[in-house]
Amino acid sequence: MTTTVPTYRPDVYAPDAILDPYPHYERMRALGPVVRLAKQGVLAVTRHDDCKQVLLDDATFVSGRGVALNPVANRLGRGTTLNSDGEEHDRRRRLLASRLTPKALRSMRDEVEQRADAVVAAAVQRKHVDGVVDIAEALPTSFVPDLIGWPEEGRENLLRWAGATFDSLGPVNGQTVRTAPSTIGMMRFARSVVRRGAVLPGSMGADLLEKVGSGEVQRGECPALMIDYLAPSLDTTISAIASALMLLAEHPDQWAALKVDPSLIPNTVNEVVRLESPLRAFSRYVERGAEIGGVTVGAGSRVVVFYASANRDERFWDAPDRFDITRNATPQLGFGQGAHGCAGQGLARLETQSILRSVVRRVDRLEITGAPTWGLNNIIHKLDHLPLRLVADGKGQ
């Protein structure tokens, strides 16, 4: 073991690094299993096996002291599933788990697929579309708010609020400061919804308020729990759908293979999440001294787990920068691992697969008609705009 940790001096949360992160990840991986981020003063883990080790050892690398890189967000995040450990984490996760089980997802499959097909049909009718606004955002924003129970009022702000919630989990930088009012606005709105009981009947939010009445949940927990499930259920899914459209348009050979064999759609989603991971990184607090890749990490340290780097680690993946829908992409870490694996990943997969099934059926060619635009966010890797031309498949109408 060694306590020698190399330092990485560029700011990986600077705007240029957010927009083009992969050269930074590659250089950090080359430095060693653990590197110190000079700008943030924390440790970073960037290789696949080391990231997986940290994620699976939630007794050593804990989330209860926050997963953000700033103390304000970690303090405000108390009471969420994301920022809890052990029995408390399991209890909070169970509160809403019934809505996200495989059985529950099967019951909503038909509705999701119908909504997805309507989105794609409308896009094909228009021919020239923004793959983000007209397709990727359209399905989650039509379905997830209903599932969670948000009232119709205020929904026009949900995407902005959700993005700000993720921004707040980065370090204190321009992004965090700029989006702080939206972060505060979302929490105020969530508290107002819970206080007024203004959730939709039969929704996750309604389930929570029923549990308040039975004493299973404290009313004060409800706003954070509703946000806990809203933000990831929107941004990560939107990212995956938009990235899938971009990658398939950029790689006609892969698109042709998917048209021939649509059974590759589930694996395509894994490969998209691997190559363009929606989540960049979250941090963990080191509860007790540990070893990562032969490097000793002391108790009280904070370690940032870079999922997006792990998913392109050349030590683990063959030709990691190549988009290949036939590779076994199951070991990708884009949805996390272990106790804190994304609770909504089943829904994200269902929505993304449903869009792709409809696109494969209805579209003959995907053509990018302008430069894709990536968004600035400390945590979420997401396209802001994707100009597309959809050439209809006459057989799919």
Side-chain angles (χ1 to χ4, degrees):
M1 291 190 296
T2 177
T3 55
T4 304
V5 177
T7 298
Y8 191 71
R9 300 202 173 278
D11 181 6
V12 295
Y13 290 91
D16 60 343
I18 290 175
L19 294 175
D20 186 20
Y22 300 113
H24 292 274
Y25 299 156
E26 185 177 3
R27 291 194 289 269
M28 287 195 290
R29 289 194 302 269
L31 285 175
V34 181
V35 300
R36 185 177 303 279
L37 299 181
K39 179 70 174 178
Q40 286 76 38
V42 296
L43 304 177
V45 182
T46 56
R47 298 176 181 177
H48 182 279
D49 290 349
D50 301 322
C51 289
K52 185 174 180 179
Q53 173 201 334
V54 172
L55 294 174
L56 291 178
D57 186 0
D58 56 297
T60 301
F61 304 99
V62 303
S63 301
R65 290 176 178 256
V67 301
L69 285 182
N70 71 84
V72 175
N74 285 334
R75 185 171 65 251
L76 293 176
R78 291 171 186 166
T80 63
T81 311
L82 189 62
N83 287 19
S84 56
D85 299 298
E87 292 183 3
E88 193 60 23
H89 169 266
D90 294 343
R91 180 186 72 84
R92 290 187 175 122
R93 189 153 173 154
R94 282 195 303 269
L95 290 173
L96 299 174
S98 63
R99 297 281 178 161
L100 299 169
T101 62
K103 181 179 179 181
L105 292 174
R106 283 194 297 272
S107 72
M108 58 178 88
R109 179 178 299 277
D110 287 347
E111 181 182 357
V112 171
E113 290 186 342
Q114 288 170 10
R115 293 196 189 202
D117 195 53
V119 165
V120 174
V124 169
Q125 189 72 23
R126 293 177 58 185
K127 297 182 182 178
H128 291 271
V129 299
D130 185 327
V132 177
V133 176
D134 298 318
I135 301 177
E137 291 180 357
L139 177 59
T141 55
S142 76
F143 185 75
V144 171
D146 287 347
L147 180 67
I148 294 175
W150 294 102
E152 292 293 335
E153 73 207 51
R155 287 193 182 190
E156 68 277 7
N157 299 311
L158 288 181
L159 279 178
R160 176 170 54 85
W161 285 342
T165 299
F166 276 113
D167 254 328
S168 73
L169 300 177
V172 176
N173 60 8
Q175 284 298 113
T176 317
V177 173
R178 186 161 49 252
T179 57
S182 293
T183 306
I184 295 168
M186 185 169 198
M187 180 55 75
R188 285 176 174 167
F189 182 70
R191 287 172 179 163
S192 169
V193 168
V194 171
R195 184 177 63 252
R196 294 180 289 120
V199 294
L200 298 183
S203 65
M204 281 183 172
D207 290 349
L208 279 176
L209 293 186
E210 284 182 17
K211 289 180 172 68
V212 170
S214 66
E216 295 177 66
V217 183
Q218 297 296 315
R219 184 173 292 273
E221 292 182 275
C222 294
L225 285 170
M226 290 182 69
I227 292 172
D228 216 9
Y229 280 83
L230 175 75
S233 296
L234 287 177
D235 285 274
T236 54
T237 307
I238 291 166
S239 171
I241 293 172
S243 290
L245 295 172
M246 179 191 72
L247 289 168
L248 289 167
E250 289 178 339
H251 298 83
D253 60 324
Q254 300 299 297
W255 169 247
L258 195 60
K259 287 281 287 183
V260 169
D261 185 4
S263 70
L264 288 170
I265 286 174
N267 195 68
T268 298
V269 174
N270 269 335
E271 176 68 349
V272 168
V273 171
R274 182 195 71 80
L275 194 64
E276 298 289 359
S277 304
L279 290 173
R280 296 184 69 205
F282 281 135
S283 77
R284 297 288 191 270
Y285 179 85
V286 183
E287 187 71 16
R288 58 195 182 203
E291 177 188 348
I292 302 174
V295 178
T296 54
V297 177
S301 304
R302 188 165 284 278
V303 173
V304 186
V305 183
F306 280 91
Y307 312 106
S309 174
N311 283 340
R312 292 202 184 201
D313 182 7
E314 53 283 327
R315 292 157 191 79
F316 187 87
W317 305 97
D318 178 45
D321 296 332
R322 185 179 70 213
F323 179 55
D324 180 2
I325 65 173
T326 66
R327 89 162 74 227
N328 177 19
T330 305
Q332 56 84 11
L333 301 179
F335 290 119
Q337 288 275 307
H340 283 276
C342 176
Q345 67 175 285
L347 178 58
R349 291 179 188 277
L350 173 59
E351 291 178 284
T352 308
Q353 290 176 22
S354 297
I355 288 286
L356 290 183
R357 283 193 198 95
S358 184
V359 171
V360 165
R361 187 173 65 253
R362 288 182 173 274
V363 176
D364 183 54
R365 293 197 313 279
L366 290 165
E367 299 174 357
I368 295 178
T369 58
T373 304
W374 290 96
L376 281 173
N377 192 287
N378 281 322
I379 304 297
I380 289 291
H381 176 67
K382 183 174 80 71
L383 286 158
D384 271 353
H385 297 286
L386 177 64
L388 284 179
R389 177 173 177 253
L390 306 179
V391 180
D393 187 334
K395 296 177 292 185
Q397 299 304 304

